[in-house]
Amino acid sequence: MTTNPETPVNPENEPFIPPNILLGLAALGLTVALFVRLTQPQFGVIGWGTLAFTVLALAAWAVLAPEQAREFMRGRALRFGGVSVFVTVLVLAVLVVSYGFIKDRGWRADLTESEEFTLTEDARAAMRVVANDPNVPPMRILAFYGGDQADRRDQDTVLFEDYIEAATSDAGVAKLSYQFVDPDRNPTQVELYGVLPGQLVVVEINPDGTENIENKQVVDPNAAQFGGPDFQTSLTNAILRVGASGDFRAYFLSVQDGLELDDEGDEGLSIIRDSLVDRFGWNVQQLTAVQLSGPQSTVTLNDPAADGEVLIVPGGSEALRDSDLQTIIDYVDAGGNLIIFADLGAENDGESLATAENMGRWLWDAFGVRFSQEVVLDQSLSLQTPIQPASVEFSDSNYITASFGGQDAVVFFAPHALEIADTLPTNVSVTELAFSSDQAYSKTLEELLNEEINPTDSDPTGRFVLALVAENSATGARVVLFGSTNLASNGWAQASSLGVRNIDMAFNAIVWVTGFNDFFVEQIPRVEESFDPQDAPFAATQQEIRNINVLTLLVLPFGVLLIGVLVWWFSRERAQPA
Amino acid sequence: MILRQIWAVYKRELGLYFRSPIAYAVAFALLLLFGLIFSSNVSQLNNRAPADNLNFIPSLLTFLMFLVGPLMTMRLLAEENREGTIELLMTLPMSETAFIVGKFFAVWTYYSVVLGLTLVYYLVLTTIGVPDHGRALGVYLGAWLYGGTVLAVTMIWSAITEDQIVAAFLGAATVLVLYLADLAAQFVNNLSFTENPEFITGLANGIRELGLTAHYNSTMFVGVIRAEDIAYFIFMIIAALFITTRIVETRRWRA
């Protein structure tokens, strides 16, 4: 028989803090942490502090009284009676707090191959510009999602967090924030912003923290279902447009045989218009010369209230009347900005608005440049035909072409060469933007119309300037001349992704002459929708469908059933001898 | 030591599952239903929808878990209670925790096998289209955790009652409540009699967080993995198993 006498306690070995007090402190800390978690919007320093205190107190108790801790985990106290209920509640509380901790961290991963819930590289680049451009104001995304759109809220939270991170400057200042607004609980706000439940608004934040409702963009997440851009593209462009707030105006002159702003065909300008209006909120109009300067004029040129302004001449087969030209001259002399796309002039015996004598004289006198009467052709560097010479060399000193790389090209259609005076007028500087190859040659329009497109010994040969900019530093006027009209037309927009940068060159010219690029310090990123292979519909032949039916309706379910029958049969056989 | 105990229970229970024709009958019924829906969708959406639109079978399985889950677990403890074998098991040198966890892993394994069989539909998709593999990973991971949670929760009722039908019925009701928590949250959110709308919104969000669908349908099902969703499922399993263990232990206490 053995006895188990109690070990005498040596007072020197007793812990200086009684373990029971540590347990009480742990309980107190946990109570405070739970209280903070359930009542406060942020867990905060107090929450985390008390939680840490609880853990430390429990750890200290386990260290100072290991026998008690072991007994607690194994003993009847844990398992049975009221203490069991208490321990269960304690475990649940710990799990809830742990869940809250993990939820607050916001750890997440987008597993989709198409990165549906992650910012695209284009959008990320755009947000970097927004983040680091001092001219871009802070913005807020207001998502008007009701209680029945909680799923959408969860999904978009992932994307919004990505936006916030990308739109945070190197200095740690976030240009973007987001907020979910329940439209049922905030009908006034819904009315104020003019949105429908399920839509979003990107709005500028004033320096005093209020929302500037005048500068807002509404985004419909479901636009893609109706042929519109996908959600991310729409939202990114809305952010860019709100961020690029400012009063910018582009006036397109209505001229004979010129490109039309509302024309959505290949020869139209609707893509440029949509980019300016929809993405950046510009005021874009097409006006006749009378509307521009006559008594019934609806616009004010050189308006000091405007942040940027440009007059664009999109071709034109007839010379401007002197009075109309004088309006343009007055505008440019006062510091206005002008872009001219030269028409070929085939309809008017070789003379077009750009090559007309009055236009040429003024350009020569004011800026030392003018359009040549002759047309440039190129057999060595052209697209399909010498009539479409291409330029692969660009100025890297001007914003318009600075971003064009070695693989990029601009294709002109029967362009007029540009002539530059040996001595430029005072305060004027000229930058050549695009050139033909050294093997290019020029012909008169008459020769071209007679289909004499092959070079002859009498043709001037060499490197022709096909686009240029001229600036007058005294007046601030900026003029951009393009040898042909096709650069701005819709037909070239699709070729942009192939490295044919016609429409980018035209767009950049508008941006540069107005100083719009100063609003966005870097080049404005182009955000376009992407198409992933996963978006393509699946395609099964009739034979494949038959095979699928056999597999899923017969082989798979009845195969499992057969295995079940076999298992039952063999179990029965084994059971019988027993 | 406890791992060895868990392994012993796990092996015994898993063997029972795969020797029982009922397990195969349940799998057969499920696969036949999935097959019917899948093949009809293939015919209807051919050349009209991306392949990902057909990757809904795991989600359908999670929906059906309010019926299938209780059927899988009702026997686990209720039968032991009814036949009195649980008292016998309690005399063995084995902890209740090992006993419960072993049984749970066995039923979860059975569920995993059924879920794994649905991968056949996904493989079919890869032959006729380009499904998003990353999204599929999220869908299957979510469905696996979702299933584990349902099984753990329904085990509680199997431990409480001796009647398998009652256990199944109560289990189905509990899972249905968790499944419909999203709708309950919407209902609460639409309450307008209060002067404290923030409290109502917070309450609605809390109810939604408790539900199963908020952690699967809106995130994992579309390919987004959030740590909080994984934590929700794991913590739910831990909590349910802990409660089940406590309930089983009360038998020893009562005895």
Side-chain angles (χ1 to χ4, degrees):
Chain A
M1 188 172 172
T2 58
T3 55
N4 185 21
E6 284 188 7
T7 313
V9 177
N10 181 355
E12 287 183 4
N13 291 340
E14 284 218 342
F16 65 93
I17 302 174
N20 288 343
I21 289 184
L22 286 171
L23 269 184
L25 289 174
L28 183 68
L30 188 65
T31 308
V32 174
L34 270 176
F35 182 76
V36 171
R37 173 71 200 164
L38 295 174
T39 57
Q40 302 300 311
Q42 296 285 325
F43 201 49
V45 177
I46 297 176
W48 290 119
T50 49
L51 198 63
F53 179 77
T54 303
V55 173
L56 283 175
L58 283 174
W61 169 70
V63 169
L64 293 176
E67 280 304 318
Q68 274 188 29
R70 265 200 293 275
E71 189 59 26
F72 187 80
M73 296 307 291
R74 290 177 181 169
R76 293 174 64 85
L78 175 78
R79 298 180 177 184
F80 310 128
V83 179
S84 174
V85 175
F86 171 74
V87 171
T88 305
V89 171
L90 194 70
V91 168
L92 294 180
V94 169
L95 291 178
V96 169
V97 171
S98 305
Y99 174 77
F101 170 79
I102 293 169
K103 184 177 166 66
D104 289 346
R105 301 280 73 73
W107 293 316
R108 47 180 60 92
D110 177 8
L111 296 185
T112 58
E113 285 180 299
S114 52
E115 298 192 319
E116 202 175 329
F117 303 96
T118 307
L119 279 193
T120 62
E121 276 310 307
D122 279 352
R124 200 172 291 280
M127 290 306 107
R128 271 199 295 273
V129 174
V130 166
N132 293 305
D133 192 323
N135 296 310
V136 176
M139 291 168 274
R140 182 172 296 148
I141 302 168
L142 298 173
F144 290 84
Y145 294 169
D148 56 343
Q149 290 170 305
D151 284 357
R152 177 97 218 183
R153 191 180 61 201
D154 284 349
Q155 289 164 16
D156 287 351
T157 300
V158 179
L159 194 60
F160 292 164
E161 292 288 346
D162 233 8
Y163 270 106
I164 307 303
E165 188 191 344
T168 300
S169 68
D170 300 337
V173 179
K175 278 281 176 66
L176 263 181
S177 58
Y178 69 91
Q179 183 185 340
F180 290 103
V181 181
D182 188 336
D184 299 324
R185 295 197 175 280
N186 302 279
T188 318
Q189 221 170 340
V190 171
E191 198 175 334
L192 193 66
Y193 282 100
V195 292
L196 297 169
Q199 291 185 328
L200 300 93
V201 167
V202 180
V203 61
E204 179 188 341
I205 302 298
N206 292 320
D208 62 359
T210 57
E211 289 157 4
N212 176 13
I213 298 170
E214 296 299 313
N215 186 18
K216 70 171 192 322
Q217 285 290 306
V218 177
V219 179
D220 184 359
N222 300 316
Q225 292 174 11
F226 309 103
D230 65 34
F231 175 50
Q232 199 178 134
T233 306
S234 304
L235 183 58
T236 304
N237 286 336
I239 293 168
L240 287 175
R241 187 170 157 178
V242 172
S245 59
D247 185 0
F248 286 86
R249 306 168 187 177
Y251 303 121
F252 287 75
L253 197 63
S254 275
V255 290
Q256 186 70 33
D257 298 318
L259 305 185
E260 295 289 329
L261 205 54
D262 293 330
D263 183 355
E264 297 191 344
D266 282 354
E267 298 300 316
L269 295 169
S270 62
I271 289 179
I272 291 249
R273 177 203 61 195
D274 291 347
S275 294
L276 292 172
V277 175
D278 295 340
R279 283 181 58 191
F280 301 115
W282 279 39
N283 176 8
V284 178
Q285 298 180 56
Q286 184 140 24
L287 302 165
T288 62
V290 174
Q291 287 173 315
L292 201 63
S293 60
Q296 295 173 336
S297 171
T298 53
V299 298
T300 307
L301 291 175
N302 301 111
D303 186 352
D307 293 300
E309 194 180 64
V310 59
L311 180 64
I312 299 159
V313 182
S317 60
E318 289 181 1
L320 283 173
R321 290 182 304 174
D322 286 345
S323 58
D324 294 337
L325 179 61
Q326 192 56 48
T327 303
I328 295 175
I329 293 170
D330 292 343
Y331 164 67
V332 174
D333 283 350
N337 306 305
L338 178 70
I339 298 175
I340 300 177
F341 295 92
D343 185 88
L344 179 59
E347 292 84 2
N348 200 18
D349 294 335
E351 187 182 77
S352 70
L353 184 152
T355 58
E357 190 272 335
N358 59 353
M359 177 62 80
R361 189 176 63 245
W362 169 65
L363 284 173
W364 193 257
D365 292 344
F367 292 96
V369 294
R370 67 184 170 203
F371 290 97
S372 158
Q373 298 291 337
E374 299 204 323
V375 176
V376 178
L377 295 95
D378 197 341
Q379 288 186 321
S380 62
L381 188 60
S382 58
L383 182 68
Q384 295 171 336
T385 163
I387 300 173
Q388 296 197 113
S391 175
V392 294
E393 280 186 75
F394 307 101
S395 162
D396 56 6
S397 64
N398 188 281
Y399 169 84
I400 298 172
T401 51
S403 65
F404 291 6
Q407 302 295 316
D408 292 329
V410 171
V411 179
F412 293 81
F413 180 80
H416 289 282
L418 287 154
E419 296 174 356
I420 303 170
D422 294 334
T423 308
L424 294 173
T426 313
N427 300 321
V428 170
S429 61
V430 172
T431 306
E432 301 168 0
L433 292 178
F435 326 91
S436 67
S437 74
D438 292 338
Q439 285 78 43
Y441 51 97
S442 68
K443 285 186 175 292
T444 63
L445 188 64
E446 189 182 2
E447 289 175 309
L448 192 65
L449 294 175
N450 289 334
E451 297 185 358
E452 296 171 18
I453 60 171
N454 292 322
T456 60
D457 292 342
S458 59
D459 293 335
T461 307
R463 189 170 186 254
F464 296 91
V465 178
L466 302 177
L468 60 79
V469 299
E471 281 184 273
N472 186 319
S473 58
T475 63
R478 288 176 167 181
V479 171
V480 185
L481 306 181
F482 292 108
S484 67
T485 57
N486 69 314
L487 275 80
S489 60
N490 296 340
W492 290 97
Q494 296 297 327
S496 182
S497 58
L498 303 172
V500 179
R501 307 291 298 271
N502 285 22
I503 206 153
D504 295 329
M505 193 172 190
F507 189 83
N508 287 354
I510 296 171
V511 168
W512 177 73
V513 294
T514 55
F516 186 62
N517 54 318
D518 292 335
F519 270 63
F520 276 11
V521 173
E522 296 179 31
Q523 188 184 4
I524 298 164
R526 187 176 59 245
V527 179
E528 288 178 349
E529 217 172 331
S530 60
F531 184 84
D532 298 303
Q534 287 83 11
D535 298 332
F538 69 90
T541 63
Q542 287 305 311
Q543 183 58 46
E544 282 175 326
I545 289 176
R546 277 193 291 275
N547 293 343
I548 289 168
N549 289 344
V550 169
L551 177 69
T552 59
L553 292 174
L554 290 174
V555 176
L556 192 58
F558 286 96
V560 169
L561 188 66
L562 181 67
I563 295 171
V565 170
L566 290 174
V567 166
W568 169 75
W569 183 261
F570 287 118
S571 302
R572 188 170 154 271
E573 278 188 346
R574 268 201 301 270
Q576 274 174 348
Chain B
M1 179 67 180
I2 193 164
L3 287 178
R4 219 173 297 154
Q5 293 171 0
I6 290 172
W7 177 244
V9 177
Y10 173 78
K11 269 198 308 186
R12 171 181 171 270
E13 284 299 321
L14 200 61
L16 284 177
Y17 266 110
F18 285 100
R19 280 197 296 274
S20 156
I22 293 172
Y24 295 92
V26 170
F28 164 74
L30 283 173
L31 292 171
L32 191 62
L33 176 69
F34 294 159
L36 282 168
I37 297 173
F38 182 79
S39 57
S40 72
N41 272 273
V42 168
S43 302
Q44 282 175 15
L45 300 177
N46 193 15
N47 287 313
R48 284 161 56 190
D52 280 326
N53 284 27
L54 290 178
N55 192 16
F56 59 86
I57 297 295
S59 175
L60 185 61
L61 178 59
T62 59
F63 167 70
L64 291 174
M65 277 305 282
F66 88 92
L67 284 175
V68 180
L71 289 178
M72 288 179 180
T73 56
M74 64 183 188
R75 180 192 64 79
L76 278 180
L77 296 163
E79 194 177 53
E80 308 264 19
N81 284 335
R82 188 171 56 82
E83 295 179 356
T85 48
I86 198 161
E87 273 78 17
L88 183 66
L89 288 166
M90 289 299 114
T91 62
L92 297 174
M94 181 193 331
S95 76
E96 290 84 353
T97 306
F99 180 65
I100 298 299
V101 172
K103 277 179 174 283
F104 168 72
F105 278 135
V107 70
W108 200 10
T109 302
Y110 169 66
Y111 169 80
S112 306
V113 170
V114 174
L115 182 67
L117 285 173
T118 67
L119 278 169
V120 170
Y121 305 110
Y122 187 71
L123 292 175
V124 167
L125 283 185
T126 59
T127 64
I128 57 173
V130 188
D132 193 316
H133 300 309
R135 184 184 160 181
L137 180 64
V139 169
Y140 273 90
L141 177 65
W144 184 64
L145 291 170
Y146 186 112
T149 304
V150 168
L151 296 171
V153 168
T154 52
M155 266 181 77
I156 297 173
W157 293 110
S158 183
I160 286 176
T161 177
E162 294 179 358
D163 191 324
Q164 292 188 32
I165 304 299
V166 172
F169 182 79
L170 291 173
T174 309
V175 176
L176 209 54
V177 166
L178 289 172
Y179 186 83
L180 297 176
D182 223 17
L183 285 178
Q186 281 180 42
F187 174 76
V188 170
N189 197 53
N190 290 336
L191 295 176
S192 55
F193 57 79
T194 177
E195 288 182 356
N196 190 356
E198 284 180 8
F199 170 76
I200 290 293
T201 306
L203 183 64
N205 286 341
I207 292 172
R208 185 166 180 273
E209 293 272 324
L210 274 177
L212 289 161
T213 51
H215 298 280
Y216 179 64
N217 288 7
S218 61
T219 49
M220 286 181 159
F221 183 63
V222 294
V224 174
I225 301 291
R226 299 187 304 183
E228 67 201 70
D229 295 330
I230 292 176
Y232 166 83
F233 288 124
I234 291 173
F235 290 168
M236 281 289 278
I237 291 171
I238 292 172
L241 294 182
F242 190 83
I243 291 169
T244 307
T245 310
R246 296 282 85 79
I247 291 166
V248 170
E249 280 174 347
T250 57
R251 293 185 175 279
R252 184 174 293 190
W253 171 47
R254 285 182 201 147

